[in-house]
Amino acid sequence: MNFSIENLGKIKKVDFELNKLTVICGQNNTNKTYLTYSLYSFFSYMKDSKYSLSSLGEKFQTLFKTYSVKISLDEIISAIEHSIINDFTKNLPAYLAIRNELAEGIVFKTSMIRDGIDRKAGFDYTGRISETEQFTYTKDQGSNDITIVYSKMDLGNSKETSKKELSDKGYILTLEQHLKVIFDKELFKFIPFPHISSVERTGIAVFENELEIQDSLSILFGGSRRGSKNGENKIYSYPLAVTDNIKSVKNYEALSKSKSKLSSERPDIIEYLSSIINGYFTTNDKKGTTYTPKGSLKDLSLIESSSSIRSLLDLSMYVSHLADKDQILIIDEPEMNLHPENQRKLARLIAMLVDYGIYVLVTTHSDFITRELSLLIMLSDTERQNRLLENNFLREEGYEIKYSIPASYTNVYSICSEHNESFVKKEIVSNDDGFNITSFESTIDKMNNVYSLLL
């Protein structure tokens, strides 16, 4: 999944590819969050079918005149790419909850739609408009065209009237809605369902009841809550990623009533996550979400629980109740409030999620997480796996072959800032050496030099 973004805050241009595991590291205030939230917003935009097919207007008019039309897959791709450029990009500042001038001249491009569309798919659908009217959508396997036919039972002498009625906006909207449902089911199955665990997750967990999310269309891009200052009514906007994170927290009770596919298929992942949390979460309408430590009969409210527990809550709910293959999980600063040992364990959990089939995007400042991921990449080498089996210390440290992750699955990017401009560098990743984070290594080298001088 290739993306290109220009003029995103301090990031003048970035070309990058999302892999099964993508790690973004860098200095503070380099707009990593803008980048991460932009990606989340895009996946949400596609999965919620917010894109427009308005550039197919001439094709729709042909349908209205002749009652049948063929639309090629390339025309569909162009229509969606046109919408991304003219709709998604235009509204990206609102998705990020930033002023327009901070994203002036922004350009967002992706080859994902063109590269990933299933051209071999074949289907035949009928969409009712009324008791007597319907659209049929047909595509033969391997064909590059979708045929749309409008039909009406017993048209009689009212054919011209029907054409006029068919031209109404309501019919066009129905046609677009039908097509989007079909595209999502048949052509764009490769687009992953996104879930984000934002850096604001600990505050969201604690102040869930104080946070208001209005679902009106007027705040579709980002959500808002109203407050009062000096008698004036002021709107405080949240980025879409944070808004959706708040909504997911508010939905914990309903979510907790079902188990994820991952829970059934990989109970070892659930067990490993429980070892990091050292307990379990419970959600009900009376107490809300509570945490029960292992070996204890008393549950704790989130206020009574440690900051590390609040930090892990959203990840736990996702893994236990929502996770499935071919989704994308975005974790902003997974190391937040965690001891280095738990940061290492969390890196292994990430590797297990990738192995299960979930795309994972991580932004981190943690040298412990990146070093652990690097070691797990090195562990994918067969010779090192044999070494693991022979070395007691490695096994005592908890390393297992199931935590390994190939270099081919991993892309790592560093972001640094110079003269108020951010630059993105793709790091080398190999099974032999894992990877190094340039900005981390330079800081560590400086500290080692200071240490040696003070000895």
Side-chain angles (χ1 to χ4, degrees):
M1 292 182 277
N2 294 295
F3 296 86
S4 174
I5 306 179
E6 298 178 23
N7 302 316
L8 181 63
K10 293 182 179 180
I11 301 174
K12 298 307 175 187
K13 183 175 175 58
V14 55
D15 295 298
F16 64 99
E17 177 186 6
L18 283 180
N19 208 333
K20 294 179 184 295
L21 171 63
T22 306
V23 181
I24 301 176
C25 306
Q27 299 169 337
N28 295 122
N29 200 29
T30 54
N31 292 156
K32 295 188 304 299
T33 298
Y34 281 4
L35 179 58
T36 306
Y37 285 4
S38 295
L39 291 172
Y40 174 81
S41 299
F42 172 74
F43 285 113
S44 176
Y45 176 84
M46 290 302 300
K47 291 307 287 185
D48 291 343
S49 300
K50 294 176 184 175
Y51 58 85
S52 168
L53 299 174
S54 59
S55 64
L56 295 175
E58 290 186 11
K59 290 288 185 178
F60 296 157
Q61 291 303 320
T62 299
L63 174 64
F64 300 157
K65 293 176 182 177
T66 65
Y67 295 93
S68 178
V69 70
K70 284 187 177 182
I71 303 178
S72 72
L73 297 184
D74 292 312
E75 288 174 315
I76 292 168
I77 292 169
S78 295
I80 296 175
E81 290 178 339
H82 180 271
S83 180
I84 292 171
I85 293 171
N86 293 280
D87 180 26
F88 175 76
T89 302
K90 178 182 176 182
N91 286 291
L92 189 52
Y95 282 113
L96 300 177
I98 61 176
R99 300 190 306 274
N100 287 334
E101 56 264 31
L102 294 178
E104 188 174 353
I106 190 171
V107 177
F108 186 100
K109 296 180 181 178
T110 178
S111 65
M112 187 178 75
I113 308 299
R114 191 168 296 275
D115 294 342
I117 190 170
D118 185 359
R119 294 181 179 272
K120 296 180 180 180
F123 52 80
D124 188 356
Y125 288 94
T126 297
R128 289 272 182 174
I129 309 169
S130 67
E131 291 184 2
T132 59
E133 297 171 289
Q134 64 184 28
F135 290 121
T136 59
Y137 309 86
T138 305
K139 180 182 178 298
D140 294 331
Q141 284 191 346
S143 172
N144 196 53
D145 297 317
I146 297 175
T147 300
I148 307 175
V149 176
Y150 167 74
S151 59
K152 184 172 182 178
M153 296 174 57
D154 192 23
L155 289 175
N157 296 323
S158 61
K159 191 171 184 179
E160 294 301 319
T161 304
S162 297
K163 287 183 180 180
K164 185 177 180 181
E165 291 175 354
L166 193 60
S167 300
D168 290 343
K169 289 183 179 180
Y171 279 67
I172 297 176
L173 288 174
T174 300
L175 180 62
E176 288 193 358
Q177 289 169 356
H178 287 176
L179 286 171
K180 288 178 179 180
V181 171
I182 294 170
F183 294 167
D184 189 49
K185 186 174 182 179
E186 300 289 349
L187 303 180
F188 301 142
K189 291 179 283 190
F190 64 92
I191 298 175
F193 169 86
H195 180 84
I196 189 164
S197 189
S198 70
V199 74
E200 288 87 357
R201 59 188 176 273
T202 56
I204 293 172
V206 173
F207 298 108
E208 170 195 350
N209 295 328
E210 285 72 27
L211 295 172
E212 298 176 6
I213 294 297
Q214 303 174 26
D215 293 322
S216 62
L217 292 177
S218 62
I219 57 163
L220 180 63
F221 304 114
S224 68
R225 61 187 176 93
R226 292 186 177 272
S228 179
K229 184 178 181 181
N230 298 327
E232 298 180 359
N233 201 28
K234 185 176 180 181
I235 295 179
Y236 301 84
S237 295
Y238 304 123
L240 177 65
V242 177
T243 299
D244 285 356
N245 209 165
I246 295 172
K247 288 181 179 179
S248 68
V249 170
K250 287 181 172 292
N251 194 45
Y252 278 171
E253 182 185 347
L255 188 64
S256 64
K257 294 177 182 178
S258 60
K259 288 188 176 182
S260 65
K261 286 189 178 180
L262 179 148
S263 296
S264 301
E265 297 173 356
R266 289 291 301 272
D268 59 311
I269 295 180
I270 300 298
E271 184 179 351
Y272 191 77
L273 175 59
S274 177
S275 72
I276 300 174
I277 297 171
N278 195 32
Y280 59 91
F281 294 105
T282 306
T283 301
N284 58 57
D285 56 351
K286 294 182 179 180
K287 293 185 177 181
T289 301
T290 58
Y291 166 71
T292 305
K294 282 185 178 178
S296 174
L297 297 178
K298 295 182 179 180
D299 52 16
L300 304 175
S301 69
L302 294 179
I303 289 291
E304 296 169 320
S305 303
S306 69
S307 58
S308 65
I309 294 302
R310 294 195 292 269
S311 177
L312 291 168
L313 169 61
D314 189 69
L315 179 61
S316 175
M317 294 299 291
Y318 167 77
V319 172
S320 301
H321 304 288
L322 192 61
D324 194 3
K325 294 177 181 177
D326 298 322
Q327 296 177 347
I328 180 166
L329 170 63
I330 301 174
I331 314 176
D332 203 356
E333 299 186 20
E335 69 274 10
M336 190 164 53
N337 302 323
L338 297 184
H339 183 276
E341 189 60 32
N342 270 346
Q343 292 183 39
R344 293 177 63 196
K345 290 181 179 179
L346 193 59
R348 298 174 193 176
L349 176 70
I350 289 170
M352 294 171 77
L353 294 177
V354 171
D355 176 67
Y356 174 70
I358 296 173
Y359 294 92
V360 181
L361 168 62
V362 170
T363 61
T364 181
H365 296 289
S366 170
D367 183 53
F368 295 104
I369 285 181
T370 55
R371 283 178 182 263
E372 189 69 17
L373 289 173
S374 182
L375 292 175
L376 298 180
I377 291 171
M378 295 171 65
L379 187 58
S380 66
D381 176 72
T382 303
E383 182 179 339
R384 292 195 175 100
Q385 290 180 358
N386 292 333
R387 197 177 305 168
L388 170 63
L389 297 174
E390 298 169 357
N391 192 296
N392 290 331
F393 176 76
L394 291 175
R395 293 198 302 276
E396 289 171 358
E397 279 295 296
Y399 288 100
E400 297 183 39
I401 294 175
K402 67 179 180 180
Y403 301 143
S404 65
I405 177 171
S408 60
Y409 283 17
T410 311
N411 285 353
V412 179
Y413 296 91
S414 290
I415 304 181
C416 60
S417 182
E418 185 177 338
H419 305 302
N420 206 36
E421 186 173 335
S422 295
F423 301 91
V424 182
K425 174 188 175 184
K426 186 176 182 180
E427 303 286 2
I428 297 174
V429 184
S430 72
N431 291 332
D432 291 333
D433 304 311
F435 63 88
N436 292 315
I437 303 298
T438 306
S439 60
F440 289 1
E441 293 299 318
S442 62
T443 301
I444 292 170
D445 288 343
K446 290 176 184 178
M447 294 182 70
N448 287 337
N449 289 335
V450 171
Y451 178 77
S452 63
L453 290 172
L454 292 176
L455 281 178

